[in-house]
Amino acid sequence: MPLPSAKPPDGATLFKQQCATCHTTDPAEPTRQGPLLRGMLGRRAGTVEGFHYSAGLAKADFAWDEAKLDEWITNPQAMIPGAVMAYRQAKPEVRSTIIAYLKELQ
């Protein structure tokens, strides 16, 4: 009898595994190495009050949408030279699952 295929991780699990070391989605929690991500879609980049952004991100002239977030998670330094975020995710299915989770938190 064949084994059932493994269920891919959901967005909350992927966020916890890959993003939560540096980011929180709960405004009641203290700021971590990265800014709060709840409500980020539609928010102008580099504008979370009280967070110190890299010069490039602080000067960014766009609002976060799914396409920008996908580009960012793929390679932050290619999108904004001098960006501090070290995380990169090459797998489109993982990026889209994390982005869908963040979209739910709006």
Side-chain angles (χ1 to χ4, degrees):
M1 183 180 287
L3 294 173
S5 41
K7 181 181 174 187
D10 61 71
T13 300
L14 287 171
F15 183 88
K16 185 176 180 182
Q17 292 170 342
Q18 300 187 24
C19 310
T21 299
C22 297
H23 296 279
T24 183
T25 59
D26 183 349
E29 290 184 18
T31 301
R32 298 182 183 164
Q33 195 171 354
L36 171 73
L37 297 185
R38 180 177 293 272
M40 75 174 300
L41 292 168
R43 181 171 67 209
R44 183 173 145 78
T47 61
V48 171
E49 191 173 324
F51 187 80
H52 179 72
Y53 288 92
S54 63
L57 198 50
K59 294 177 186 174
D61 188 25
F62 65 86
W64 290 110
D65 61 18
E66 292 175 55
K68 287 286 189 190
L69 187 52
D70 185 66
E71 181 183 357
W72 175 254
I73 295 172
T74 301
N75 187 344
Q77 291 78 25
M79 183 176 171
I80 299 178
V84 179
M85 189 164 107
Y87 176 80
R88 291 183 184 188
Q89 181 48 256
K91 297 179 181 177
E93 64 276 11
V94 173
R95 292 192 311 267
S96 66
T97 302
I98 292 170
I99 292 167
Y101 171 69
L102 291 172
K103 192 174 178 181
E104 291 173 13
L105 301 176
Q106 291 302 104

